[in-house]
Each structure stands twice: as C-alpha cells, then as structure tokens.
C-alpha cells in the first residue's frame, strides 16, 4: 500500500561562529541541520524510506555529508559550487537533487546564521507544501503521507499543522538530537562514494534583493498614565497582556499575499 | 616587583580569559564529584590547581564544579587527596576543548 | 593505496593494528605501520588531530627525516628558532644566557615553533596518505583482552564500538587511561606531573620582530627559572608569527599547596621588567593548559605487554631536564619505533611481550631512552628547592655585585662575593658542591 518514501536532508557546512579561520577543521553544521538529519532518519525508519544527504558547496562540504552517511543516510550528493551563494541560488541548485522526493528536511538556520530562507525558496521551486521553523515533527503520519508538525509563532504561540507530502520542512535544533554514528558505520563512511555533481549554471537574477543588517525599528510608546508602577510596567512591556496585533484572516493566496504586504507597510517593515 | 607599565596591563577577567578557548560542550558531565567526600576535605587542592577554575567552594562546606569549560588536563584528579572524590574521564569523542593556537 | 590496507590479513580481527591517539606519537606509528603494508585504524578523540594538544612551544622535528624527507618544506611551522635564551630571574632581576645561531635559520633547521592543531593535523594527514584509516571524534574507553590477558583491541564510546586488532599502540597522551588500564604504571602520583598553562598573545609580526630582534621566519625561545612565584617549576616565552606565547610549568603538589592560581602566576610573571616589554599591548588570543609527565625515568611505565605498546606522553617519554625541554620529538621517535617494532612482531606472528621486545630495544639504542637514562636525575635536580629558590637569588646577587660600580670602594674579589652571597642565600657549601657534581654528572 505504501511506497517507500524518499527523503532529502540539506546540510550546510560553515565556519563556527566567532572563528576567523576559514578552515574545515573549525567548520561544522548547525544544531538545526543536525536535527534535520535526525528527523529525516527517523521519518525514513518509519516509512521504509531512504535518506539522501545533500550539500551545495566546495569539497569541504563532504565532511558534513560523511557524518550524515555515518549516521545512516543512504547516499550523499554534493553540488560542486562556491560556498557564497544566495538562498535562491542554493534552492535552485538543490532542486535537481530533490527530484521527486516526498520530503525535504532542512535546518531552520545554518551555523553562520544566514537568512534561513533556502527551504522557502525550495518549496516555491518545487511547488509543494512547506512547514518552516518547526519545533516538533510527529513521524507517525508519514505512512499516510501526512505529517503532523508544530510550528513556532510569535509570542510563545504554536501552530499545529498537517502537511501533505510532498513537502519541505525546516526544523529548529531542539527538534531532535542527532544520534551518534556507530564505529563501523563511521569507518565505512570515510570511503563511501559521494555523488559529486557539477552545479547548474547560475541563474541571471531578474531582481536582486539587497540584504542589509537587521535594524530594529524605533517604536513610539505613549507614556503610560497609570499611577501604579506595576501597571505601567505591564503597559510598557506587554508582559502579561494579550497582544492585539495578531489577526487571523482566511483569504485566497494572492489576496493573502497582498494583505500581508499591506500590513507590513502599515507597521513600517516595508517602504 | 611591579613593572612601571603595570597600568597597561588590564588583566582580563577570568570569564574573558576562558572565552578565548573554544569548547564543544556535551550535555553529559565527564567530571563527577562526590560531594559527601568533599565536605570533609579541608585542603581543597582542586579549587587552587584547576587551570580553568572549575571547582568552586560553597559556603556550606561543599564543592560545586562545572565541566563545560574543562581543558581535560587531569590536574584535578591527580592533586585530589580524597579517595573517590573525583571521577574523571574524557568527554564523548568530538566534544570538549578544541585548541586553535596552542 | 588505502584499498590495499582496508582489511586485516587475519579474518578474525577487524584490523591489524589500532593506534589510539593521532598526536605526534600515534601518527608516526601509523605512518610506519601503514607503509609496511599493515591495516591501521588511527583513533582520535578530538574533532581533528591536534585539537586536544598543547605544549611548551618548540618542536625538534629532525627525527622526521626518516619518515618524511624534506619535512621542513611542508610542515606548518610558525618560526624557526634561531635564538635560544635561558633566563634566571628574581623578583627584580634577570640574567640571561642568550645564544643565536644563523645556521638554524636554514634547512635542515633545528627547532621550530608551531601550533599543535596545525602540526599534528599535518602529521596525521601523512598517516592517512600512507593508508591509515583516521577516525576522529572517537574516544577509546578501554582495552579488550583474551583469556590469557593479552590485549586484543579497544572499546570506544561509539555505538557498537568494540574494535579488535592483532596489536594496539596506546599513544593516548599524558593521562593514558589505556596504559593504566593495562596495569603498566607502577604508581600514578601528582608528584610526577607538572601543569603547563599558557597564554597566546596577539601582536603584529613587525612588533614581535622588533621586540625579539629577529626577522622573517626567525624565532626566539626563552626558558626561565625563578618566575613562578615560589611554586616549583619554570616559565617560557616564545614567538609565533603574529603571537607570543607566555606560560609557566608548575609542579602539581607545590601548586596545590601554595594557594596560588595558575593564571595569577602567569600574570605576575608578565609584570616582570624582563618580560613585560616583550608582551605588553598584546591581546589574549587563547588561554590553554595541559599536563606534562615530568619525572622522566622514575615514572616511566612498562612499555609493552602482550598485544600492547605504549608511546609518547602515554609512556612518559618527555624530557624535562632544565636546559633541555623536549617532548614532541620523543613522541615522534617512540611512535615510529613502536610502529617498526610492531611491524616486525606482526610479520613474525608473535605479539607476546617477548615478541614486542624490539620496541624497548630500539628506544634503548637511540636517544629516546639514552637521553632519559643520562638525564634521569635532572628533573629532581631542576625542580629541587635549592635550584628553584636559592640559586636564582644567589646567582643574581653575585652578578649584581660583579657589575655594580660604587666608587670609591674598590671592586671586591669574586671569591669573596661568592662566599658572602652563598651564605646570604642560605646555601650550604656541601649542598652546592653536591648539586654542582650532580649537575656535572647529569648534563656534562
């Protein structure tokens, strides 16, 4: 009844934070990427599926792939490309590897704390469902090709999602702790063949996004008039309050996008 | 003894000193201290000798320890005079101190 | 090349030889064995070779001539030592014997400063190219033995982590839990160890060149006695390309008894007028610490038992003899000889203790144990209270009076100064004579 499920996990090897040495000895994958690998392995175990570990980057990226193989990934693919590609380009490169895999799992952030936008670009390219920034993935639904996941929202809220396959997931580091590779698997992974593919020709971008460092907006606050200090503190910090800024609307995708953009403009996030 | 340029020596705080070393911390401690034994110890060799200052005496006569910033040198268990007070092993492979310019 | 050495000749074991620890000893053992055609697994508990290693700064790699000809063309060294100073200091004085040798700035060189995470990583790369299977992030937690007690492999901290072999070489460092597990150490006592603590201080290369009077890749190593705030030990300052390393080596029981913390002892040493101008204005790049097996022959374990050889720091093969301070070369040499002796034993099919006797024989015939035998009294002498505390005072006082010019008093005779300062320092003539004789016998 259920066909085996192909899962792709995307890993990014980068220098550790605070390390100037651009040296593979000091490089690693983020806890989120490790959690993505563990999630992929568990989903595969529950669906007789297979896991392909994929990385875009120079030969050093194979360190991450060999670790994935040691932990139980069935094969590894490296797209030979320079390390400094933007998210859209990385997603474009990964698209060919993903093919018709049922699930793609990514970490929500790499160790160099990029924008975390590769999974969204990838889902867009694949025209499939996406569930990003997950704090929990329930593997039981995988056999029914339906995943039950929990997503983090602002203000400590959670969103329970049911995601149909095929889908792209991105997970936080807390979702799972990566298993430790067995001795024989780790030894074998040293020499396992890694499928190295030339990168697809770079796309000529129609629009180029300018990425600037994050600057919080200044927010004008009215001085709270309440004589009670605790009440003033609450008014200033929202500490106990129910925020009224959130709003749930049900619209068609195109209208929803328009609405989001309008709200962002109103709140001052966009010009 | 003090050199005249002493003022040019803002000796870094111990936290800053330890922040120069990189540790890939494992969730499980590789040092275990038997506080029952330490409560009877007056010499407290580990407190003085540990280069990472991981052993801290408490006001109630005990010793608390951290394992996160351990250089894995072995000084503590060697200087300890109390049988069975410090159990010490290496952290799980791949974790712990990662030297760079040593 | 690695295909040839993937599988052990004996199907009952996973691999011919397991080498534990990819430091200088382990990598040299693995190179020797892999080149001899044996399958070797080289286990390293750090994420990469060298990541757990720290030392007092100078490596003497000439022993590598045998394994890696023209090693100096490729080894990742910081500077070649062309200036070697020995300094005796008191709180307010310092006397140096400073030697400079231009020949040490050219091949085959003599000593070099290097970062161990670079040097050890490089050396382990040679073991891999020779065919050894390097596996990092894997701690060997114990030994496997057969019914007769012979070592047949190691346990590791990975799942399904037992690995069997015809022979194990323990190069697992100063704390060698494997040598202890095998019962090769008679006694493990704090008195046999010193603690090395070090600061790596960043300064621009031009500033270092100017302060230390060197150019290009020339470097300086200064070994110091009397700089450890009364704790028996010594200190060092040496140059890397754009950092200066400053550190102290402290006898463990003395450190524990003194109620002074290691970093305070370095801090005080750095304020000394002989040291401060060398390092001031620099930024602390890395603080580090490591133990040193300091006691030489008197602590040395049994070097072999059935199925097991021990090399490097794990075998306490570290020479801490005052004017000579060497370790990495002893590690590389003992590792190489362990590898050669292991290959010999495996070819004969005899890895019993007798079958492995070629290891100790090789060490005895070369500098490795000859230096240790010859200098067996040195560690105790150098770390003795008189050498540590009284002689620096006495020497500095004598030299001060020799060079002091206080006209109109005539210059006193040297013999009288010596006698007076010996008394003032509280040194008995008998002890001075005895230490002098011991020093002559040891170093002469």
């Amino acid at each position: 009844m259920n066909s085996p499920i192909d899962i792709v996990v995307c890993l990014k090897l980068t220098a550790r934070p605070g390390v100037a040495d651009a040296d593979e000895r000091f490089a690693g994958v983020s806890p989120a990427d490790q959690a993505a690998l563990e999630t992929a392995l568990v989903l595969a175990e529950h669906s007789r599926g297979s896991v392909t570990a994929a990385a875009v980057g120079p030969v050093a990226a194979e360190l991450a792939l060999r670790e994935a193989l040691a932990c139980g990934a069935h094969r590894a693919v490296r797209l030979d490309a320079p390390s400094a590609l933007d998210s859209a380009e990385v997603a474009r490169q990964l698209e060919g590897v993903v093919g018709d895999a049922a699930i793609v799992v990514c970490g929500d952030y790499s160790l160099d704390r990029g924008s975390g936008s590769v999974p969204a670009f990838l889902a867009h390219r694949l025209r499939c469902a996406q569930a990003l920034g997950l704090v929990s993935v329930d593997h039981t639904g995988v056999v029914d090709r339906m995943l039950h996941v929990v997503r983090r929202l602002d203000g400590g809220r959670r969103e329970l999602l049911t995601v149909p396959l095929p889908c792209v997931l991105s997970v936080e580091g807390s979702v799972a702790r990566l298993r430790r590779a067995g001795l024989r698997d780790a030894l074998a992974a040293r020499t396992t063949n890694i499928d190295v593919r030339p990168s697809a020709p770079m796309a000529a971008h129609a629009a180029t996004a300018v990425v600037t460092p994050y600057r919080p907006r200044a927010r004008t606050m009215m001085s709270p008039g309440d004589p009670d200090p605790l009440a003033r503190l609450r008014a200033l910090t929202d500490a106990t309050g129910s925020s009224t800024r959130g709003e749930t609307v049900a619209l068609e995708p195109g209208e929803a996008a328009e609405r989001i953009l309008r709200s962002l403009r109103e709140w001052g996030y966009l010009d | 003894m003090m050199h005249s340029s002493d003022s040019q020596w803002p000796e870094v705080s111990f936290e800053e000193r330890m922040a120069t070393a990189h540790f890939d911390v494992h969730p499980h401690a590789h040092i275990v201290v038997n506080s029952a034994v330490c409560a009877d110890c007056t010499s407290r060799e580990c407190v003085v000798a540990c280069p990472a200052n991981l052993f801290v005496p408490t006001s109630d006569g005990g010793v608390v320890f951290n394992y996160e910033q351990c250089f894995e040198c072995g000084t503590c268990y060697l200087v300890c005079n109390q049988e069975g007070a410090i159990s010490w092993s290496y952290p799980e492979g791949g974790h712990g101190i990662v030297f760079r310019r040593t | 090349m690695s295909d040839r050495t993937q599988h052990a000749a004996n199907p009952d074991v996973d691999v011919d030889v397991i080498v534990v620890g990819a430091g200088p000893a382990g990598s040299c053992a693995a190179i020797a064995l892999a080149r001899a055609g044996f399958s070797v697994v080289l286990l390293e508990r750090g994420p990469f070779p060298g990541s757990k290693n720290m030392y007092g700064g100078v490596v003497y790699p000439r022993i590598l001539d045998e394994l890696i000809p023209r090693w100096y063309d490729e080894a990742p060294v910081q500077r070649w030592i062309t200036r070697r100073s020995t300094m005796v200091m008191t709180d307010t004085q310092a006397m140096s014997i400073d030697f400079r040798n231009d020949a040490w700035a050219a091949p085959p060189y003599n000593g070099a400063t290097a970062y161990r995470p670079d040097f050890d990583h490089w050396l382990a790369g040679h073991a891999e190219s020779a065919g050894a299977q390097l596996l990092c992030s894997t701690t060997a937690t114990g030994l496997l033995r057969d019914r007769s007690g012979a070592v047949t492999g190691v346990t590791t901290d990975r799942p399904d982590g037992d690995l069997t072999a015809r022979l194990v070489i323990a190069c697992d460092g100063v704390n060698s839990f494997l040598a202890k597990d095998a019962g090769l150490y008679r006694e493990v006592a704090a008195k046999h160890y010193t603690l090395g603590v070090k600061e790596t201080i960043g300064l621009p290369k031009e500033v270092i060149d100017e302060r230390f009077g060197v150019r290009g890749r020339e470097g300086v190593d200064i070994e110091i006695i009397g700089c450890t705030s009364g704790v028996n030990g010594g200190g060092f300052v040496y140059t890397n390309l754009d950092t200066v390393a400053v550190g102290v080596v402290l006898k463990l029981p003395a450190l524990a008894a003194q109620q002074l913390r290691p970093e305070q002892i370095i801090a005080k040493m750095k304020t000394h007028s002989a040291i401060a101008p060398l390092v001031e204005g620099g930024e602390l790049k890395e603080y580090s610490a490591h133990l040193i097996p300091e006691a030489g022959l008197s602590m040395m374990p049994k070097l072999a038992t059935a199925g097991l050889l021990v090399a490097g720091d794990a075998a306490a093969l570290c020479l801490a003899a005052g004017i000579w301070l060497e370790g990495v070369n002893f590690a590389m040499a003992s590792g190489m000889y362990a590898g050669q002796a292991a290959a010999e034993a495996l070819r004969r099919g005899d890895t019993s203790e007798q079958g492995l006797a070629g290891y100790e024989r090789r060490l005895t015939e070369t500098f490795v144990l000859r230096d240790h035998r010859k200098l067996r009294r040195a560690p105790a002498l150098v770390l003795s209270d008189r050498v540590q505390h009284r002689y620096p005072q006495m020497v500095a006082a004598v030299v001060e009076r020799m060079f002091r010019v206080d006209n109109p008093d005539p210059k006193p005779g040297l013999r009288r100064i010596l006698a007076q300062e010996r008394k003032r320092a509280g040194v008995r003539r008998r002890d001075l004579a005895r230490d002098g004789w011991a020093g002559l016998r040891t170093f002469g």
Side-chain angles (χ1 to χ4, degrees):
Chain A
M1 50 165 229
N2 301 307
S3 54
I5 287 185
D6 290 330
I7 301 172
V8 174
V9 57
C10 306
L11 303 170
K12 183 176 180 185
L13 186 90
T14 58
R16 290 177 195 281
V19 180
D21 315 66
D23 187 321
E24 62 187 42
R25 288 174 296 163
F26 306 115
V29 301
S30 66
D33 279 8
Q34 291 178 23
L37 174 57
E38 182 65 29
T39 303
L41 292 170
V42 171
L43 287 172
E45 282 160 9
H46 285 85
S47 63
R48 297 181 295 121
S50 76
V51 174
T52 302
V56 180
V59 67
E62 292 184 8
L63 286 176
L65 295 177
R66 293 208 182 279
E67 178 65 19
L69 288 167
C71 288
H74 300 82
R75 66 192 75 82
V77 181
R78 177 172 69 85
L79 287 148
D80 189 40
S83 48
L85 295 182
D86 68 25
S87 297
E89 190 57 39
V90 171
R92 213 174 66 83
Q93 300 290 345
L94 283 170
E95 189 184 353
V97 178
V98 172
D100 49 9
I103 307 174
V104 179
V105 196
C106 307
D108 69 339
Y109 283 105
S110 54
L111 212 49
D112 56 359
R113 203 68 174 73
S115 60
S117 51
V118 167
F121 278 111
L122 193 56
H124 170 70
R125 296 199 73 89
L126 297 168
R127 309 274 167 207
C128 68
Q130 57 173 324
L132 308 184
L134 304 181
V135 292
S136 164
V137 177
D138 179 359
H139 57 75
T140 51
V142 68
V143 286
D144 305 320
R145 299 186 67 85
M146 198 63 90
L147 289 176
H148 306 287
V149 299
V150 182
R151 191 164 83 96
R152 184 192 294 282
L153 298 179
D154 285 348
R157 279 170 288 228
R158 297 286 185 270
E159 184 177 34
L160 309 176
L161 295 171
T162 301
V163 191
L165 269 47
C167 65
V168 174
L169 312 178
S170 85
V171 298
E172 294 193 356
S174 61
V175 161
R177 186 172 170 81
L178 179 60
R179 66 193 65 188
R180 184 148 165 78
L183 184 71
R184 276 164 185 73
D185 296 334
L187 276 170
R190 295 175 63 255
T191 50
T192 306
N193 196 35
I194 289 178
D195 178 6
V196 181
R197 301 183 191 172
S199 53
M202 301 293 156
H205 283 297
T208 309
V210 179
V211 182
T212 53
Y214 172 66
R215 297 262 185 276
R217 289 166 307 128
R219 204 167 137 192
T220 312
M221 312 272 296
M222 292 302 142
S223 182
D226 202 300
D228 175 24
L230 189 59
R232 287 208 300 279
L233 206 59
R234 278 184 179 148
L236 280 171
T237 59
D238 254 6
T240 58
S242 51
S243 166
T244 52
R245 277 174 288 143
E247 186 184 352
T248 307
V249 292
L251 296 168
E252 287 302 305
E255 292 170 29
E258 281 302 318
R259 179 62 193 278
I260 289 169
L261 285 172
R262 199 175 73 221
S263 295
L264 288 174
R265 260 183 222 107
E266 280 167 16
W267 296 332
Y269 287 103
L270 291 178
D271 295 326
Chain B
M1 160 77 212
M2 289 297 157
H3 188 252
S4 55
S5 65
D6 205 17
S7 57
Q8 295 179 26
W9 275 112
E11 198 50 48
V12 296
S13 74
F14 201 81
E15 286 69 28
E16 288 172 287
R17 172 180 296 279
M18 292 308 296
T20 62
H22 176 79
F23 300 89
D24 203 335
V25 180
H26 193 270
H28 299 302
H30 64 283
I31 310 174
V32 178
V33 172
N34 185 338
S35 46
V37 179
C38 299
D40 297 331
C41 172
T42 51
S43 46
R44 301 280 167 83
E45 287 85 357
C46 58
V47 174
V48 183
C50 170
N53 208 1
L54 298 180
F55 298 85
V56 183
T58 57
S59 55
D60 62 353
V63 171
V64 296
F65 70 100
N66 307 294
Y67 73 93
E68 290 88 346
Q69 294 189 310
C70 175
F71 287 125
E72 299 154 32
C73 69
T75 297
C76 55
Y77 80 86
L78 280 170
V79 297
C80 179
N81 288 324
Q82 308 290 322
E83 191 66 35
I86 299 178
S87 320
W88 194 91
S89 58
Y90 291 129
E92 186 181 283
H95 291 87
I97 180 70
V98 182
F99 287 128
R100 288 174 183 151
R101 293 190 184 84
T102 53
Chain C
M1 188 159 213
S2 59
D3 285 344
R4 176 168 62 89
T5 54
Q6 277 305 300
H7 302 289
N10 180 346
D12 296 338
V13 291
D14 294 318
V15 64
D16 286 329
V17 184
I18 300 165
V19 179
V20 181
S27 287
C28 286
I31 291 171
L33 278 159
R35 287 195 188 153
F38 293 97
S39 61
V40 181
V41 167
L42 177 58
L43 297 177
E44 165 60 43
R45 69 184 186 91
F48 60 86
S51 56
K52 302 286 182 185
N53 300 348
M54 173 271 192
Y55 72 149
V58 182
V59 46
Y60 300 93
R62 289 294 302 278
I63 186 68
L64 286 179
D65 287 350
E66 213 171 312
L67 291 178
I68 308 169
R70 298 187 68 84
W71 51 268
Y72 37 79
D73 288 340
E74 48 169 297
V77 308
Q78 290 286 315
R79 289 180 187 251
W80 303 104
I81 297 294
T82 58
R83 245 189 92 190
R84 175 72 160 76
S85 280
T86 303
M87 186 186 281
V88 176
M89 65 165 62
T90 69
D91 279 359
T92 57
Q93 299 159 314
M95 189 191 78
S96 292
I97 296 169
D98 187 41
F99 180 69
R100 198 184 271 268
N101 188 14
D102 294 344
W104 288 347
Y109 303 99
N110 182 46
T113 56
Y115 294 139
R116 292 289 295 281
D118 297 347
F119 189 85
D120 294 6
H121 181 252
W122 164 76
L123 197 53
H126 274 278
E128 276 201 286
S129 339
Q133 306 175 61
L134 171 67
L135 185 62
C136 295
S137 299
T138 308
T139 305
T141 49
L143 295 168
L144 296 169
R145 288 193 186 81
D146 64 14
R147 276 202 206 98
S148 72
V151 173
T152 56
V154 299
T155 59
T156 71
D157 64 349
R158 283 191 182 272
D160 303 317
D162 292 0
L163 196 65
T164 57
R166 299 165 70 191
L167 185 68
V168 175
I169 305 183
C171 306
D172 52 339
V174 59
N175 282 298
S176 186
F177 291 117
L178 296 189
K180 289 174 191 168
D181 186 5
L184 300 183
Y185 273 92
R186 286 184 307 273
E187 182 197 12
V188 177
K191 66 180 181 197
H192 292 152
Y193 297 88
T194 52
L195 170 66
V197 284
K198 178 166 89 174
E199 288 183 3
T200 307
I201 296 170
L203 282 167
K205 180 181 184 297
E206 315 79 68
V207 173
I208 295 175
D209 287 351
E210 198 173 312
R211 288 184 186 181
F212 287 84
V214 285
R215 290 186 203 136
R217 298 297 290 271
E218 297 169 1
V220 182
D221 174 36
I222 308 172
E223 306 290 346
I224 309 162
I225 201 162
C227 59
T228 44
S229 303
V231 175
N232 298 30
F236 56 83
V237 176
Y238 63 83
T239 56
N240 295 310
L241 263 185
D242 58 359
T243 61
V244 174
V246 184
V248 292
V249 171
L250 307 164
K251 206 163 154 56
L252 278 192
L255 171 66
Q258 199 79 15
Q259 298 296 310
L260 264 175
R261 290 206 31 84
E263 74 279 2
Q264 292 172 326
I265 296 173
I266 297 189
K268 189 171 170 201
M269 171 179 149
K270 288 199 311 188
T271 63
H272 194 284
S273 57
I275 306 298
L278 300 177
V279 291
E280 65 193 0
E283 180 199 352
L284 179 62
K285 292 287 188 189
E286 193 162 329
Y287 173 59
S288 54
H290 211 279
L291 281 185
I292 305 164
E294 188 88 22
L297 269 191
S298 61
M299 70 181 293
M300 205 166 284
K302 238 178 95 179
L303 298 171
T305 186
L308 180 72
L309 293 174
V310 189
D313 270 7
L317 285 165
C318 189
L319 187 70
I323 52 177
W324 292 295
L325 298 160
E326 302 166 27
V328 177
N329 54 335
F330 283 92
M332 294 189 292
S334 60
M336 179 178 76
Y337 293 134
Q340 293 172 355
E344 203 176 78
L346 290 171
R347 272 192 218 104
R348 278 199 320 264
D350 179 6
T351 54
S352 68
E353 196 174 320
Q354 288 76 26
L356 294 169
Y359 176 44
E360 186 153 349
R361 196 187 64 241
R362 281 177 168 80
L363 299 188
T364 313
E365 284 166 0
T366 58
F367 74 99
V368 180
L369 277 179
R370 281 200 183 166
D371 280 357
H372 273 91
R373 294 244 158 86
K374 182 169 156 50
L375 294 166
R376 65 189 178 280
R377 291 186 196 86
L381 179 67
V382 171
L383 290 173
S384 72
D385 285 336
R386 279 195 296 280
V387 172
Q388 286 283 313
H389 309 306
R390 297 192 193 264
Y391 294 159
Q393 296 286 348
M394 187 180 85
V395 168
V398 168
V399 174
E400 193 274 339
R401 285 184 60 189
M402 271 172 62
F403 293 132
R404 189 202 306 159
V405 178
D406 42 4
N407 307 330
D409 291 345
K411 294 189 197 312
L414 185 56
R415 198 186 305 173
R416 213 174 99 221
I417 298 178
L418 257 172
Q420 286 173 350
E421 295 305 331
R422 180 181 57 74
K423 275 187 201 140
R424 189 168 304 168
V427 176
R428 289 184 299 183
R429 192 177 299 168
R430 188 158 32 115
D431 291 332
L432 184 60
R434 191 161 53 193
D435 290 343
W437 176 237
L440 268 178
R441 274 204 305 173
T442 301
F443 298 110

